Amino acid sequence: MADKRSLFLGLDFGNEDIQICCYNPKTLEPESVTLYSGDRPYFYPSLIGLKQGSKEWLFGEEALEFQEQGLCQTADNLLKKAEQGTETVLYDTAYSPVYLLEKLFRKCLTLVTLKFPGESIAKLAVTVKDLNETIRAVLKEVFGNLGLKEDRLFLQSHSLSYEYYALSQKKELWSTDVGLFHMDEEEFHYRQISISRKFTPLPVGITQKDFNDILDYEEVQKGDKERLEYCFLNLARSLLHKQLVTTIYVTGCGFEGDWADNALKELCVGRRVFKGQNLYAKGACYAAKEIGSEEGGKLKEFLFLDSDQITSLLSIEAEKDGKLTQVPLWDGYKPWYDKALTQEFILTEDNTIRVLVKELFTLKKEYHDILLEGLEVRTDKSTRVEISVSFKDRKTALIKICDKGFGQIIPSSGLCWEQEIKL
C-alpha cells in the first residue's frame, strides 16, 4: 500500500541547530517533533561526522560524542558553507555542502517519518535566516536529490516565517501591528509587521531595525542581569512609544534564561508578550499547510511580503494594441535577487526612456528619464532596444538597455546603457 502524503512539515535550518514541526490536523496547529532524547530534544545539531577508519556517517549528538573521543571528524557551520560554496575536508577527502546536507537532511526526515508510519511528506517548508539565490539553489538541489521536488518544497526566510506564524494566530493577536525581538550569536534586531488595509488581498509588510550596537549576545553571556534588563526595557519602550502593537514575540538563543523576564512583564501592559524558541519552525509549518493543502489555505486574504521583496512596480509608457498603456518592466512582490526581466521595445520618437516607479503600499509615483546617448531613432520604426531590469539590493534597481538592431536589415550598434534607480 502506497504511503499517504499527509505530512506538512516546517524545518528551521540554522548553523547550530535544526528544528522540525509537523502540522497536527486535530489541534490545527504545528507541533515540535522530538528528534532525539536529551536536554534539548527539539534541537538537532546541524552537524555531520565521519567515523575514523570507516565510511560510517554520524549525525547530531552522536557525532559530537565521537568527536570528543577523537574517533570522528565533523563538519559544522553547514549553512554558511553552503552560501560560500566551501568544501569540508574529512580524513583527506573533500566533501561539498550539497553532499553533506543531503546526508544530514535524509537523517532528519527519516527520524520524522518513522514517527508517522504509513504517511509521507505532502509539503515541506524550509526556513533559514536569510534566503538568497545561492542558498535557494543549494537547498533545491539537496531536497530534489531526496525526492522532494519543487511541487512539495517551499523555501522561505525567517522574516516570512514570522509573518506566517503571527497571522495564523487568533485575530485579536494581530488586530494592529505585531513586533518581534530576536537575538542570537550574530545579531539583535526588532521586526514589526504592518498590514495595509487599502488593498485586496491585504499586503503584509515588515520593517527591521538592528541593535547590535546597544545589546548583543556577548553582553548576555557576561550575565550582568541588571544592566541587560535596563538596556532592553529602555530600548523596547522607545521602539513601542506611540505604536499600536497588539502582540510582542521574543525568540533566539539570546533570550534563553530569565534575564529579560521582568522587562517582558513590564511590556505586557496593554499587549500580549510570548517567548519561545520554535517560532520560525512553526511559521514554516503553517506555510507548508497553507500552500500545500488541497482544500485551500485560510490566509488567502493576505499577500505575504518579506524583507527581501520589492514592493514597487516599474513600467514604461508604450503603445500596445493601438493604445498607450503602462507596460510593466517589473511587476513587484518578488525578491530583489530574482532573475532579471527582459523585454524588447520599438522606439518611435526620441532616444529617452521614461521609467515610472510606483510604490505599491503608498501609491507614490516617481519618473526617471534615461538618455540613450548616441542612439539614432529612425522614423520607420526600426529602432529596437532590449530593456532588462535587475536589482543590486532591495532599494536599488539596475536598468540596462541595449540596441538590438533590426534583424538582418539593420545590425546592432553594440551600444548599451545602464542606470541605477533608487526606490
Side-chain angles (χ1 to χ4, degrees), residues 29 65 78 81 92 134 137 160 176 191 233 251 278-279 291 293 303 308 317 332 368 380:
E29 292 182 353
E65 291 174 7
L78 293 177
K81 288 176 179 176
D92 300 322
T134 301
L160 192 55
T176 59
R191 284 177 171 150
L233 187 56
T251 193
N278 54 9
L279 181 146
I291 296 165
S293 178
L303 177 61
D308 286 332
E317 188 174 74
H368 301 263
D380 60 354

Side-chain angles (χ1 to χ4, degrees), residues 215 218-231 259:
L215 196 60
E218 186 176 339
E219 287 290 323
V220 171
Q221 292 299 98
K222 292 177 182 177
D224 187 345
K225 187 174 179 180
E226 186 175 340
R227 180 186 179 281
L228 292 171
E229 189 178 293
Y230 175 81
C231 288
W259 70 264

Side-chain angles (χ1 to χ4, degrees), residues 222-329:
K222 292 177 182 177
D224 187 345
K225 187 174 179 180
E226 186 175 340
R227 180 186 179 281
L228 292 171
E229 189 178 293
Y230 175 81
C231 288
F232 175 64
L233 187 56
N234 275 359
L235 171 64
R237 283 174 170 168
S238 175
L239 279 169
L240 299 171
H241 182 60
K242 294 185 178 180
Q243 294 282 329
L244 291 175
V245 177
T246 308
T247 305
I248 295 289
Y249 296 103
V250 179
T251 193
C253 60
F255 284 105
E256 290 182 337
D258 61 359
W259 70 264
D261 287 359
N262 288 335
L264 295 177
K265 288 178 183 177
E266 295 274 348
L267 297 180
C268 282
V269 178
R271 63 180 68 87
R272 303 284 295 279
V273 178
F274 302 91
K275 187 175 80 167
Q277 298 300 329
N278 54 9
L279 181 146
Y280 302 121
K282 285 192 171 184
C285 190
Y286 277 122
K289 177 61 176 175
E290 178 73 17
I291 296 165
S293 178
E294 291 182 0
E295 64 267 21
K298 298 180 179 179
L299 301 177
K300 288 185 176 180
E301 62 180 305
F302 300 111
L303 177 61
F304 289 93
L305 307 173
D306 70 11
S307 54
D308 286 332
Q309 286 175 292
I310 304 298
T311 58
S312 294
L313 173 72
L314 280 69
S315 63
I316 64 171
E317 188 174 74
E319 185 177 311
K320 187 176 183 179
D321 300 328
K323 297 180 180 179
L324 284 178
T325 185
Q326 288 293 329
V327 177
L329 298 175

